[in-house]
Amino acid sequence: MPKSIDKKYTDPVGKSVPRIDGKGMVTGQAKYVYDIGFANMLVGKMIRSPHPHAKILSIDTSKAEALPGVRAVITAKDTDKIKFGSNEHFFPHTIDQMALESEKVRYIGDEIGAVAAVDEETALEALKLIDIKYKILPAVFDVQEAMKPNAPQIHESLNNIAVILPVNFGNPDRTLKEADYVREDTFYTPAAHHACMEPHVCVGQWELFSNKVTLWASSQAPFKCREALAKTFKMDLNNIRVIKMSVGGGFGSKLEMLPMDFSACLLSKKSGGLPVKITYSREEEFIASRRKHGIIYKIKSGVKKDGTLVAITGEVIADGGAYCSYGPTVLAAAIMRIFMVYQIKHFRITGYRVYTNTPISGAMRGFGGVQAGFAIESHMDLLAKGINMDPVEFRLKNITTPNMTTINQMKISSNGLRECIEKATAAAEWNKKRGQQKSLCRGIGIGIAADVMGSKMYKSHESAGSIVKVEEDCSVYFFTGAADTGQGSNTALSQIAAQELGVSYDRIKCTSGDTETTPFDTGSFASRVTFISGNATILAARDAKNQILEIVAKEHNLNRDDLDIKAEEVINTKNNTTLMNFEKAVELCFSFNYGKQIMGRGSYNPNTTPIDFRTGEGNVSGSYGFEAQIAEVEVNKETGEVKILKLYDAHDIGKAINPQSVEGQIEGSLAMGIGYTFMENLQFKQGHVANANFAHYRLPRSIGIPPMESILIETNDPHGPFGAKGMGEASLLPTSAAIANAIEDAVGIRLKELPFTPDKVLKALHSINKK
Amino acid sequence: MPKSIDKKYTDPVGKSVPRIDGKGMVTGQAKYVYDIGFANMLVGKMIRSPHPHAKILSIDTSKAEALPGVRAVITAKDTDKIKFGSNEHFFPHTIDQMALESEKVRYIGDEIGAVAAVDEETALEALKLIDIKYKILPAVFDVQEAMKPNAPQIHESLNNIAVILPVNFGNPDRTLKEADYVREDTFYTPAAHHACMEPHVCVGQWELFSNKVTLWASSQAPFKCREALAKTFKMDLNNIRVIKMSVGGGFGSKLEMLPMDFSACLLSKKSGGLPVKITYSREEEFIASRRKHGIIYKIKSGVKKDGTLVAITGEVIADGGAYCSYGPTVLAAAIMRIFMVYQIKHFRITGYRVYTNTPISGAMRGFGGVQAGFAIESHMDLLAKGINMDPVEFRLKNITTPNMTTINQMKISSNGLRECIEKATAAAEWNKKRGQQKSLCRGIGIGIAADVMGSKMYKSHESAGSIVKVEEDCSVYFFTGAADTGQGSNTALSQIAAQELGVSYDRIKCTSGDTETTPFDTGSFASRVTFISGNATILAARDAKNQILEIVAKEHNLNRDDLDIKAEEVINTKNNTTLMNFEKAVELCFSFNYGKQIMGRGSYNPNTTPIDFRTGEGNVSGSYGFEAQIAEVEVNKETGEVKILKLYDAHDIGKAINPQSVEGQIEGSLAMGIGYTFMENLQFKQGHVANANFAHYRLPRSIGIPPMESILIETNDPHGPFGAKGMGEASLLPTSAAIANAIEDAVGIRLKELPFTPDKVLKALHSINKK
């Protein structure tokens, strides 16, 4: 019963096949957690602190428990009070949050308990009946205030500093003195919100007789969620199953277990095993998921007249909110990405990740690189300006090269940064336009960036596993733990599996992101999936292919090493002849004499070294990606509005597994960059989120997106799957700076604080006019 | 985060660990298909023929479709009219059933269509509104009538004979003439019903956007069900997922896809993708699942005075009902099991599998061996009696031995049959009791049997796959496609996995019987799981162990072949020293430098040869199991009631992986044997099932079960997993004969027709009294 492959075979890799989940998403049939409907499912709601900082004196849940329709109420007393966090391996002291707080609350929204009831009305009514007595504590909301010795202490840390990260190489103080030009700038980037179209939602079920917990989650990292559940429930990993459903956006906000996940499961246990669904309201999503770190970025650099960067120093202060979350990683990324971009020998930036009584800062697309990208790429333009050098020329002078080791021991293999800059500037006609359109209030600016593909900052390894099973009818199951959260990884990885197995893409059926039925995968973050999970997929497909070829070799008395499967044919590579087609080979495997189940498995862990967090030394990624971005803008001097005429993004992605998908990532990043540059700013008033809704927290819409040009640079990385690198974050990194640099080119103002609202533009214009 | 194994390590294999699913079953928390509750789930009902044989002239579903609450009505016109069956590979012409019949119906209950509605009342109401016009055809209900040339023809076959199976070796006609004693007997065994406590039930869902079908099934062979769905829906295997839930009994009735499974999925598709549940009523279960073949068994044998069996001839006529189902396999097993038991050189039995207009006969525990066992083991006693030989002595003279090849090329490796007979007779004090208790109307009788562990009669191979994954916390996932239907295979296979991996049984978490997430497994039938799936499990666990040991060897610069894991310790087998414990070894695998996902995979296909169905030659099983059974009875001459005083069963199971589980299988088989011997008889009147309920179809209850003694003989088969063989069917095979033989020993009557109801006993007693 062989499958009929109607279409003519074409190589799966490099083809813009439609996204596997595309049809389900556009027709509304894809299943999100919200769509799960079990009989007798309960509705859960979180009990949250109304205070930014307070001691919990007592909790009385008796009235809520007595309300008809309420099935369970949980508080910290129902838990083992085990703390969880995101950087356990490298920063154990940052493990600072409990699923349900018992002693103290640290931000408005902090989780104290949860209720489960037969319907939402009853659950909300029950929340009102929870009686909690607090002792209000003084709170601190500003990051610089929080660092002062006499500020209210939110955790046990000194001066509310959760993490200090001193990155130090060479002798920057001495070399700065030798520079021809030195300048210092301070940049301000605000808190922002991930603004996923799908708020956080989960269904938890605790099967009592087998003590097995299942969580249906909207997650970027189901295995990380499983680990946190196992830890906080003191259970074995194989008793916890996290099933990732379709995800309506994550962007870093769905990387971690949240108290809601823990609570849905525990409520189920206390309700006798009934499933419990907890859905965040849009307001909860703004308040109690995760947010972007607001960062103050001070940077001081020296250059030679010829443009050589000689030293950089600085200070990075990140507003972490109430708990650590991914703070250490964000801080590290905000400081150390620069080494991938610029060759620098003398460097010292110290980072501080500071607690405040505001919502929790965590991972957000770019992991601190967006804030750093704005600061560094704006600063680089100012340095170039200071020595009267073209900013493109300045960058070409200082950028990293292929096959080099950076000062902090990053091992760069392929590096298309130069080509990115050249292709982007050529496409944008940089030389023709730069400085030439001031009369039209038009300007052009550049920003460059680099990105990792994975980072061993979360645990001792960063591996991914894959399984490829070939069925009797030649259809293929492909299992990956990777979490497709909309970026299209299931599609790209399926293409990789098909290519390596040597078969048509149509044969592949991908199952992903289920901690029980798919192999471990660290998660979808740090642009790691194509590179790491892709390499695991190649290994699994190769293993399956080997099993088939071993049987073909045995049957035909050939040497297995002389055989390969390409384009649906088993070929003898020695004389380049076709032995049989794939279907005949599989038929042989499943024939009477062999009866062999073809099951390939692959495990990949990138060859990296851990970062030494005392210095910043370490090769965090198996390869590095690069890009150059150019913005053309027009400034309306009357209104302060900035119009983007066009964005160009030349991106070294190694090899585009699915070009359309790569372009989609670039365009999505640029749109997010535009939002962060002009609109997005999560604001707090005495710990309250002041704009916890889309009426006041504005996002770009498709109608306001300018023309974009994506230029894919294929450097065929030696370590990448079919040469591919990870991508998906880097394009967001230089956007704000490229725009800022273009604005200066257009109208001569320098904006150092995001977002660039019309009032700031007008103020800056006014300020230079006064001069 | 290593798992704490509280208990001291003990070897998993050979220990009566509690069944994994035991707690869930006794507390009522285990999930059966019936327990599945999805929001918006529809109720499906089958449209069935009220006639035993009729042509379908027209079907009008319009009134039903117009009924409010009806979501879909399907008939053959909604299908591709593809036939399915169970022996496609070897008997393609027996593929004779359509999911929904379009031209003709062949038994009362035959499926013509199905409806889906919002609730059961509406669905039942809709059934009444389906208007079907029939042309009634003459029907035939008796198997011997059906074979007559002018009988109504049910299918295209000649004289309603679906399969003729001529098994022929040597020259039986000549050798019979050379025998000292020849006799012929004819035995009659009735149709019977599997009588699962859980009737057939399924939930089908057709995800429209991805064209993926999921069926939650109560199945013994989910992969076979997947294959049939893929065939009848013309879909790829990897687009169909069959998920086996807890199963409340199968006994062969849940081996196949039924029209209900097909219909639930198709109704879902036609309802826009809503899940559809179809639950059989108890009456439907009796009528339209599967039934046991009633068999007429004629057997004629010759013996020498010294007891040597010289030749056997005979004829087997099996009543197949309306479609073929597993008929060919049942017929083959009814004839060929004898070769495993007795050394015989001259043999000819011809089997006929005949259609009648009655419910479909299929597989039932023992696959024809029960009916044959009654005939052959009764006949052997009569032969022994004919030459005045003790039936035990007679058997010991003729049985197969270890390491022999039978006349039909079965390769017997270990063979504990002699030991079984000796141990059983010793336990029962045969010599003391045989023929000595007539005054008490008490007698003792023996029956012996052998069994396969799997049989390549279903498809080209009979493989099983397993996957063993070791997680970071040393907990272990074990995936098997094997379907635990209550026999405890998940437990036994988990024990095997733990033993081979060298770890505590508590570490293992078993996931089974899901065609998407677990590897292929042919199914739970023919006592194949422990042997075949067990061997696959050993290979998977060994593969996982290898991966761990390779890393340990690399890290410590040792030779991997010198290392092993035993009892939670990594040992150097060269000097028998402990290197580290299992947890340290796994920690090393997941450490920074390795980051290796431990995923072992195993595929096992027994080394057998296909049966040549023109002769009966073939080594159908990778090993063979044996047993001897002794019944002690007391006959009440007044009432005709027979009381079993005790049953002894000595069983060569190779090695008891879980002794309690083995005993449970033996005791369950004996209980089933008692039912078939005394009570069970599925009766038909003009094609109607006359006793389609438990009031009129009586089963033994726990209260009526006599004392039983299980004697486990461990022959440590060289091909079995840790020496184990399959079992679970053989104990049922000789029960009726052992009882019949004991009755003759008690009161001198010979019963040749099952069941032994009091009236038959009284009639026989009356008849010998007359003589």
Side-chain angles (χ1 to χ4, degrees), chain A residues 753-764:
Chain A
E753 185 182 337
L754 287 170
F756 304 157
T757 48
D759 61 304
K760 284 186 197 154
V761 173
L762 287 176
K763 196 174 156 192

Side-chain angles (χ1 to χ4, degrees), chain B residues 186-191 292 295 370-375 378 673-682 732-733 735-737 739-740 743 751-757 760:
Chain B
T186 302
F187 298 89
Y188 300 87
T189 55
K292 192 174 201 147
I295 287 181
V370 178
Q371 300 96 315
F374 171 57
S378 297
I674 292 169
Y676 195 53
T677 305
F678 292 111
M679 302 169 168
E680 299 184 50
N681 183 4
L682 194 69
L732 176 58
L733 271 46
T735 307
S736 298
I739 292 168
I743 291 172
L751 301 172
K752 295 186 179 177
E753 184 182 336
L754 288 171
F756 304 158
T757 48
K760 285 186 196 154

Side-chain angles (χ1 to χ4, degrees), chain B residues 256-277:
Chain B
E256 300 168 77
M257 180 192 89
L258 293 191
M260 68 183 293
D261 301 310
F262 175 95
S263 297
C265 299
L266 191 57
L267 286 169
S268 171
K269 185 183 190 185
K270 223 179 163 181
S271 311
L274 294 180
V276 176
K277 186 190 275 186

Side-chain angles (χ1 to χ4, degrees), chain B residues 5 39 70 73 186 292 323 353 355 377 383 398 437 475 489 521-523 561 585 664 732-733 745:
Chain B
I5 296 290
V70 171
V73 180
T186 302
K292 192 174 201 147
Y323 297 97
R353 207 276 188 183
Y355 290 121
E377 288 301 295
L383 289 172
N398 289 293
Q437 302 181 92
S475 62
S489 61
D521 192 290
T522 311
D561 295 336
L732 176 58
L733 271 46
D745 186 45

